[in-house]
Structures are given as C-alpha cells and as structure tokens.
C-alpha cells in the first residue's frame, strides 16, 4: 500500500513532530483520552440506572413498569439518532469538534435531570427528555470507536478495543457503585437554596456525571490530536485533518468492503446490546418483585451487583486480550453467546414456591389462595413490598430465587463483555483502513436501537406476562444469533485478510 508523504513530513498534529517516537506517544495519549471518553459515556448511563425506577415513582406515583421501559430506552433512542450524525461530522472535520459539542449536551442534560423533581407538572415527561438528551450526548461513542480503529494497526486493534471496553466496564462498575454510595444521602438529602436544588440519592449521581463531563472536555481540548495508521501500523494522513498551510490527499484503498459481513455484524451487535438492555432494565423491578426489596434496598443491592459484574467484565477483557491471540475473535464471540443463553435459561422460574404479594386496595376476600406477605417493608416503613397484585402473573408464576439471579449475573457478566468487544473489534477489522466514522455511527445506532427496543419490550412483556415469557423469548433470540454467526462465520474476517494482504 502506498502512503502519501513520508513519516517525516506527514502532518499529524498542530505542531512539529520531531520523531516517530514523539508521534507514537502523542497517538497513545490521544487514544487514552478516547478510553476516558468511553468510560464517561458508560458512567453517564449506569450511574442512575438503578435509581431511575424509584426516582420515577417518587415524582410520579402513577408511573408503571411500561413507562420505565420508555424512560430507559430514551437514552438509547437519543444515541441512535445522534451517532451517525456525529460519525459523519468526524469523517470531515477534526474529531475535537463533535466531541466537545456532544459532551456539552451531556452536561446540560444531566443538570436538567437533577432539576426534574422541581418542575410544576409533567415531571415524568421532563425526565424522559433529559435522558434523551443524555443519550444524544453519548452519540460520541461512534467518534471514539472510529478514532481508535483508525489510530491502531491490525495487530494493535483487538488489544486497544479490549482496553476501551475495559474502560467502559470500569464506568459500568463505578456508575452503580457511586449510585450505591450516594444512596446513603437518602431521599431528603441536602437542600442548596441559592440554586434551588435538592441534592439527594437521585440527583447527586447526575450532578457528578456532569462534573466528569467538564473534565472530559478539558482533556479533549488540551490532549487530543488527530492520528491515523494503516493496517501495518504505518502513519498516514488523517482524512479529517487539513492544516491551513497544506491539504493532504487521502490515499486510495483498493478493494471493496464485504457488505454482508457488515450487515451481519450490525445484526449481531444489535442482538447483544438488546439482550443486555433487557437485563439491566429489568433487574430493579425483578428484584423488588421477587425478593420484596424496598426502593432503597433495590438501589443499593443492585448497585453492588452491577458493580461486581463490571469488575468481572474487566477481568474478562484482560483474558480476552490474551485468548484472542490464540483462538481468534470469532470463537470468542460464539462462546460469549452460549454463556449469555445459559444465563437467561437459568433465570427462568421453576418450582412451586411463589413470590410474596403486595396488596393494594383489597375490596373483598375472593382472591386466590396464596401465601401473603406483610405489606410493610422490612425497615418498618409504610412502603409496600413484594410482587404487585395488579400483575396477575404474580399469582401463578414461581418465584425466581436469589441464587438463580446471582448465577445468571455471573454468566451474563462473562458472556456480554466477551461478545461486546469481539463484535466491534471484528467490525472495525472488516471495514479495513477506510474512514470508519459513518460505519461506526451505524454500528452505534444499531446498538442504541437495541437499547431502545429492549427496555420497551421487556417492560411490557414482563408487566403483562411475567419473567417466564420474557426470558424464554430472549433465549430464542440468542439461539437465532448463534445460527446467524455460524452461517456467516467464514465471511467475518478482516479486510486485509480478505484481500490477501495479511495472512490469517
């Protein structure tokens, strides 16, 4: 492959690069800024995920699990719309521009979320809008992935993507962990009168996410520089970097992209994100229904559980970096799907023990014969706990035990991160050295579409039919993904391998 310009005269930064070593150090500093941006995108979603349901119930007691589905999906809907746009922007302009713009949107949206309780009416709609704008800000994930894909060689790619996923998982850990810690502030919290803000267990996480965003903007402005290398690691001009004094011509890349492989990768990524969106959305309502946890207990315990899954995911990423060099990306992707299937299969309700029922407004004694639980919470509050009597499936669906729940968490905590990193690592390799902003935008959009539909699907199916139907359907979807991957297995290969420039 011919390069435009030599290593010495290729303009990579706004400033002089005196040696390859300087350029390489700058390249990896910029990649690390992208890691941090991915980390904050994950934190922005997970730092409130376990408290959304009780916060919604606090500001609108009439809200049900169906609206929760839309509320969780709003983030992903915003991300789905914004990702291709930010990706297109990053293909033609310095990536600093879409990154700063997106982070500013994210900061503003988190502040909006913190003030939702104060608005005089339609608080639930304002909450929905705030999460939508947080999602729009998170559309910069497409920019992050395209940058890392373009700034790494084929040999570096899996490791860099695994590092990026580890940072995402770290955000996944710290988000729920921070929420769990901040739950000790309580529902009353501290009232900051001069800005008319109540800092409590629901608003503090969003405000903390906004502070992280400010740090991210400073790093993007001060540290990030444009870098691009080919599959062999040779520096080439970045398509979106045009210094005022000269304009570089982007080298032509011979060979076409396998569009069927691209489509398959998008479908698999959709399924993987759909499955995990279902899991994280339903965890709080499921635990409150099955284990009779209060709102505060559900936020605390699920925060701890999700943080543990995130820590598990980091270990998985470290292992994946090593194992992928020995067995390849595709076998790991297949193995991850099998583990996810096992996790949801274990979560299916069995046996003849039923959940405790939460009664509200009993009119007569003609209800089915069921072992009833006290309506008082374990902390002697007036908050009712258990499976709501309005959900008719509570009377005939066996309880899901805590051991099932934890075992499922462990299996999904291994399967999901493996599938996640392998799916978009494969995708970036399939695309090859071409500008990937728009393609990564569509991949992010497919994942965001999954995170939009997943919560809506599971909240409706779970509310109407219960966990047996919801998790059985998920098992069927995972099996379909395994069949698709098996059918397209031979086509999911790197661009350079497909065109015989690098031996597999």
């Amino acid at each position: 492959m011919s390069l435009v310009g030599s290593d010495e005269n290729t303009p990579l930064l706004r400033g002089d690069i005196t040696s390859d070593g300087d350029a390489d150090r700058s390249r990896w500093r910029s990649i690390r800024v992208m890691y941090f941006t991915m980390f904050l995108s994950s934190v922005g979603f997970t730092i409130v995920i376990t408290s959304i349901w009780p916060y919604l119930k606090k500001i609108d007691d009439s809200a049900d699990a169906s609206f929760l589905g839309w509320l969780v999906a709003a983030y992903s809907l915003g991300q789905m719309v914004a990702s291709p746009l930010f990706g297109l922007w990053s293909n033609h302009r310095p990536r600093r521009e879409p990154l700063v713009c997106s982070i500013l949107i994210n900061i503003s949206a988190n502040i909006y979320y913190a003030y939702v309780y104060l608005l005089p009416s339609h608080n639930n709609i304002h909450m929905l809008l705030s999460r939508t704008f947080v999602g729009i800000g998170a559309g910069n994930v497409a920019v992050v992935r395209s940058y890392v894909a373009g700034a790494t060689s084929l040999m570096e790619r899996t490791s860099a993507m695994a590092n990026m996923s580890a940072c995402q998982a770290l955000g996944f850990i710290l988000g729920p962990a921070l929420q769990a810690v901040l739950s000790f502030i309580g529902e009353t919290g501290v009232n900051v009168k001069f800005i008319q803000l109540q800092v409590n267990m629901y608003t503090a996480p969003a405000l903390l996410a906004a502070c992280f965003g400010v740090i991210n903007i400073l790093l993007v402005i001060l540290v990030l520089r444009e870098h691009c290398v080919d599959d062999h690691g040779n520096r080439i001009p970045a398509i979106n970097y045009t210094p005022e004094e000269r304009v570089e011509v982007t080298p032509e890349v011979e060979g076409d992209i396998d569009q069927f492989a691209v489509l398959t990768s998008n479908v698999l990524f959709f399924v993987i994100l759909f499955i995990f969106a279902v899991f994280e959305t339903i965890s709080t309502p499921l635990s409150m229904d099955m284990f009779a946890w209060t709102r505060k207990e559900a936020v605390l315990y699920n925060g701890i559980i999700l943080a543990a899954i995130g820590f598990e995911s980091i270990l998985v990423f470290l292992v994946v970096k090593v194992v992928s060099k020995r067995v390849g990306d595709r076998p790991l992707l297949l193995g991850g799907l099998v583990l996810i299937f096992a996790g949801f299969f274990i979560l299916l309700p069995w046996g003849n023990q039923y959940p405790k029922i939460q009664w509200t407004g009993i009119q007569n004694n003609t209800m089915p014969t069921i072992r009833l639980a006290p309506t008082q919470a374990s902390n002697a509050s007036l908050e009712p706990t258990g499976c709501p009597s309005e959900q008719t499936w509570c009377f005939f669906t066996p309880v899901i035990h805590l051991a099932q729940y934890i075992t499922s968490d462990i299996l999904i905590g291994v399967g999901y991160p493996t599938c996640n990193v392998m799916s978009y690592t494969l995708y970036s390799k399939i695309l090859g050295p071409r500008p990937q902003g728009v393609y990564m935008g569509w991949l992010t959009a497919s994942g965001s579409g999954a995170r939009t539909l997943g919560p809506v699907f599971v909240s409706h199916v779970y509310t109407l039919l219960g966990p047996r139907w919801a998790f059985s359907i998920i098992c069927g979807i995972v099996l379909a993904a395994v069949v698709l991957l098996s059918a397209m297995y031979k086509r999911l290969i790197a661009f350079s391998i497909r065109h015989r420039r690098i031996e597999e």
Side-chain angles (χ1 to χ4, degrees):
M1 181 184 297
S2 61
L3 301 179
V4 177
S6 67
D7 288 348
E8 290 77 23
N9 61 21
T10 299
L12 293 174
L13 306 176
R14 293 185 182 278
D16 293 328
I17 293 178
T18 58
S19 69
D20 289 347
D22 292 337
D24 203 50
R25 284 191 291 271
S26 176
R27 177 169 70 99
W28 283 105
R29 279 197 300 268
S30 298
I31 289 172
R32 291 183 188 109
V33 172
M34 296 295 95
Y35 291 165
F36 185 69
T37 304
M38 181 65 84
F39 162 79
L40 290 187
S41 176
S42 180
V43 167
F45 181 76
T46 61
I47 199 168
V48 300
I49 193 65
T50 60
S51 65
I52 280 182
W53 176 239
Y55 189 25
L56 176 63
K57 295 294 286 185
K58 183 177 176 65
I59 64 174
D60 182 7
D61 191 54
S62 64
D64 58 15
S66 296
F67 189 80
L68 171 67
W70 288 107
L71 190 58
V72 176
Y75 172 96
S76 301
L77 182 63
Q79 190 180 51
M80 180 178 67
V81 172
S83 293
L85 300 178
F86 284 130
L88 181 63
W89 188 352
S90 72
N91 266 8
H92 299 284
R93 295 289 301 169
R95 291 180 177 91
R96 185 185 290 112
E97 294 178 8
L99 285 172
V100 169
C101 177
S102 61
I103 298 167
L104 283 173
I105 293 172
N106 195 289
I107 292 170
S108 303
N110 276 302
I111 295 172
Y112 181 18
Y113 180 89
Y115 278 98
V116 158
Y117 75 96
L118 195 62
L119 299 171
S121 62
H122 301 97
N123 304 74
N124 57 341
I125 302 300
H126 287 290
M127 193 174 182
L128 186 73
L129 289 173
S130 68
R131 292 303 294 169
T132 303
F133 283 113
V134 172
I136 290 173
N140 61 21
V141 168
V143 183
V144 172
R145 286 175 176 156
S146 67
Y147 183 92
V148 174
T152 53
S153 68
L154 202 61
M155 292 296 293
E156 296 170 332
R157 191 83 43 83
T158 299
S159 179
M161 291 294 186
N163 289 339
M164 187 165 61
S165 294
C167 292
Q168 188 177 26
L170 184 61
F172 186 77
I173 291 174
L174 290 183
L178 289 170
Q179 172 69 87
V181 171
L182 293 172
S183 68
F184 290 103
I185 297 176
E187 294 190 337
T188 303
V190 179
N191 191 16
V192 185
K193 293 183 179 180
F194 76 96
I195 55 174
Q196 296 184 320
L197 176 64
Q198 188 175 14
V199 181
N200 57 27
M201 61 185 283
Y202 305 128
T203 61
L207 295 172
L208 184 58
C211 293
F212 285 149
V214 173
I215 297 172
N216 197 11
I217 284 182
L218 293 176
L219 287 173
V220 167
I221 293 174
L222 298 175
V223 179
L224 181 69
R225 298 294 183 268
E226 292 294 338
H227 291 279
C228 193
V229 299
D230 63 17
D231 282 350
H232 298 278
N234 301 313
R235 286 186 291 150
I236 59 176
I239 190 172
N240 49 359
Y241 178 75
T242 53
E244 293 179 3
E245 67 274 11
R246 71 186 284 186
V247 177
E248 291 287 339
V249 179
T250 305
E252 293 294 328
V253 179
E254 296 180 0
D256 59 322
I257 296 172
D258 187 343
Q259 298 297 336
F260 284 104
V262 169
L263 179 60
T264 300
S265 298
N266 275 279
V267 171
L268 290 173
F269 194 68
F270 176 91
V271 170
I272 292 163
L273 270 291
F274 180 90
I275 290 165
F276 194 73
V278 165
F279 179 76
E280 65 188 0
T281 300
I282 207 62
S283 60
T284 300
L286 178 70
S287 60
M288 291 175 71
D289 291 348
M290 295 294 156
F291 314 136
W293 288 347
T294 63
R295 290 194 297 265
K296 187 171 183 179
E297 287 171 340
V299 170
L300 175 61
Y301 298 152
N302 279 301
I304 293 171
I305 290 170
L306 291 176
I309 293 175
F311 180 75
E312 178 188 16
S313 298
I314 289 183
L315 297 179
V316 171
F317 292 132
L318 295 176
V319 172
V320 160
K321 290 170 63 175
V322 177
V323 175
S324 64
K325 294 178 181 179
R326 294 180 176 272
V327 302
D329 299 336
R330 293 170 296 175
L332 284 175
L333 179 56
L334 183 60
L337 287 172
V338 171
L339 287 175
I340 290 174
F341 175 83
F344 277 99
F345 186 80
I346 288 174
L347 206 55
L348 292 172
W350 306 97
N352 55 8
Q353 184 179 346
Y354 296 91
K356 297 177 181 180
I357 304 298
Q358 174 193 137
W359 296 100
T360 53
I362 303 174
Q363 300 297 325
N364 53 51
N365 295 321
T366 61
M367 305 305 293
T369 302
I370 293 287
R371 291 182 181 179
L372 305 182
T375 56
Q376 278 187 263
S378 59
N379 61 358
S381 71
L382 296 178
E383 179 186 342
T385 60
C387 201
S389 57
E390 305 88 59
Q391 295 176 166
T392 55
W393 56 263
C394 292
F395 296 107
F396 56 80
T397 301
V399 69
I400 294 173
H401 298 283
L402 184 59
Q404 286 177 267
Y405 187 60
I406 298 298
T407 303
S408 175
D409 288 346
I410 293 171
L411 290 172
I412 295 172
V414 175
Y416 169 72
T418 303
C419 290
N420 191 353
V421 67
M422 287 301 103
S423 57
Y424 62 75
T425 298
L426 267 174
Y427 187 73
S428 68
K429 291 180 178 180
I430 289 167
L431 296 177
R434 295 173 183 272
Q436 298 187 7
V438 174
Y439 277 107
M440 283 296 180
W442 287 117
L443 183 72
T444 304
S446 68
S448 301
R451 297 187 84 118
T452 301
L453 295 177
V456 175
F457 159 81
V458 72
S459 59
H460 282 79
V461 174
Y462 178 83
T463 302
L464 296 175
L465 302 175
R468 177 171 286 166
W469 274 96
F471 299 144
S472 294
I473 294 172
I474 292 299
C475 286
I477 292 172
V478 178
L479 284 177
V482 170
V483 172
L484 175 63
L485 175 58
S486 301
M488 296 293 293
Y489 193 84
K490 293 183 178 179
R491 299 187 70 160
L492 298 177
I493 57 176
F495 181 93
S496 297
I497 294 173
R498 179 170 177 261
H499 293 285
R500 302 184 184 280
R501 295 172 187 170
I502 295 177
E503 292 296 324
E504 186 170 11

